[in-house]
């Protein structure tokens, strides 16, 4: 009595329904406050079936992180056409990132907030996703530098640091955009592009910024 009646359907389809429900509950209520009862009810299945398919709340949360991380990385990669100039590639990549996070705010909450604040192994799953995106952005910057300047003085380690900074800023901006009414994905991407490209454009052209005033002062003082 009281069990949720379910229609027969392929296990893979049913599992995706459970993950959809779990992402919504985890994203809106947080990992600790979310209950398996709520997730089962939203998915239209019994709680024992959720446990049968996904073992535990921890395994269910991990499965959500992995699915949403994979989806985000694929969206960013698919949004970048390699035949475009480097600035357009970065613009398209940012556009894909902000469009995806705007369309999937609960998934972004799971990745950006929930997974990072509840320890291992959840944080490790997000770190792996982030490293993949940073590596992708690093290659975009390196490729752009080589296109703009045949012999750029850009050590790969420095470029990796730039990519880390860019991805970190984009993550924070996505969280802000999702929480701010009226901010579109395109507006967020344009804000990020204006913030990043003014500096990256000069850097790729072999004109890095340096604290020249401080250098002169140090020279005069020496």
């Amino acid at each position: 009595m009281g069990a949720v009646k379910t229609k027969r359907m392929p296990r893979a389809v049913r599992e995706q329904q459970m993950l959809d429900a779990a992402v919504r509950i985890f994203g809106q209520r947080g990992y600790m406050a979310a209950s398996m009862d709520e997730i089962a009810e939203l998915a239209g299945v019994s709680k024992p079936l959720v446990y049968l398919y996904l073992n535990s709340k921890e395994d269910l949360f991990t499965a959500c992180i992995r699915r949403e991380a994979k989806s985000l990385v694929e969206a960013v990669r698919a949004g970048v056409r390699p035949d475009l100039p480097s600035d357009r590639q970065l613009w398209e990549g940012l556009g894909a990132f902000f469009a995806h996070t705007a369309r999937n705010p609960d998934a972004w909450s799971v990745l950006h907030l929930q997974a990072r604040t509840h320890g291992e192994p959840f944080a490790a799953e997000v770190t792996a996703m982030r490293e993949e995106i940073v590596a992708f952005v690093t290659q975009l910057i390196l490729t752009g530098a080589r296109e703009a300047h045949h012999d750029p003085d850009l050590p790969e380690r420095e470029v990796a640091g730039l990519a880390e900074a860019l991805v970190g800023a984009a993550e924070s901006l996505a969280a802000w955009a999702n929480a701010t009414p009226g901010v579109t994905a395109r507006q967020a991407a344009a804000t990020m592009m204006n913030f990043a490209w003014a500096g990256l454009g000069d850097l790729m052209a072999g004109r890095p910024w340096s604290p020249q005033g401080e250098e002169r002062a140090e020279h005069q003082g020496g």
Side-chain angles (χ1 to χ4, degrees), residues 78-188:
V80 177
R81 289 175 290 166
D83 59 311
L84 294 174
S86 55
D87 60 332
R88 293 292 302 181
Q89 287 191 43
L90 185 58
W91 164 249
E92 296 290 346
L94 288 171
F97 173 81
F98 286 110
H100 186 85
T101 55
R103 284 195 304 268
N104 303 280
D106 294 332
W108 182 237
S109 176
V110 166
L111 294 175
H112 185 61
L113 298 176
Q114 301 303 322
R116 294 181 173 188
T117 56
H118 291 94
E120 299 289 349
F122 306 140
E125 296 287 344
V126 175
T127 297
M129 172 207 72
R130 195 175 189 280
E131 287 175 351
E132 187 172 352
I133 291 179
V134 168
F136 182 60
V137 174
T138 298
Q139 288 306 308
L140 284 182
I141 297 173
L142 280 172
T143 300
R146 293 182 184 122
E147 288 177 357
H149 196 67
H150 293 302
D151 186 24
D153 185 20
L154 277 177
E156 189 159 349
R157 183 173 180 178
E158 181 180 344
V159 175
L162 291 169
E164 283 278 358
L166 179 60
V167 171
E171 289 172 339
S172 296
L173 186 58
W176 173 82
N178 280 357
T180 305
V183 177
T184 67
R186 185 176 180 84
Q187 288 170 337

Side-chain angles (χ1 to χ4, degrees), residues 18-40 42 50-51 54 56-68 104-115 117-118 122:
M18 295 178 189
L19 290 175
D20 289 342
V23 167
R24 182 173 172 184
I25 297 296
F26 285 135
Q28 294 181 4
R29 293 181 58 77
Y31 174 71
M32 298 302 294
S35 75
M36 297 295 271
D37 290 295
E38 287 179 295
I39 292 168
L42 184 59
V50 177
Y51 279 109
L54 293 154
S56 67
K57 183 179 179 181
E58 292 81 4
D59 287 344
L60 175 57
F61 191 49
T62 299
C64 289
I65 295 168
R66 288 177 179 171
R67 188 187 76 164
E68 299 310 324
N104 303 280
D106 294 332
W108 182 237
S109 176
V110 166
L111 294 175
H112 185 61
L113 298 176
Q114 301 303 322
T117 56
H118 291 94
F122 306 140

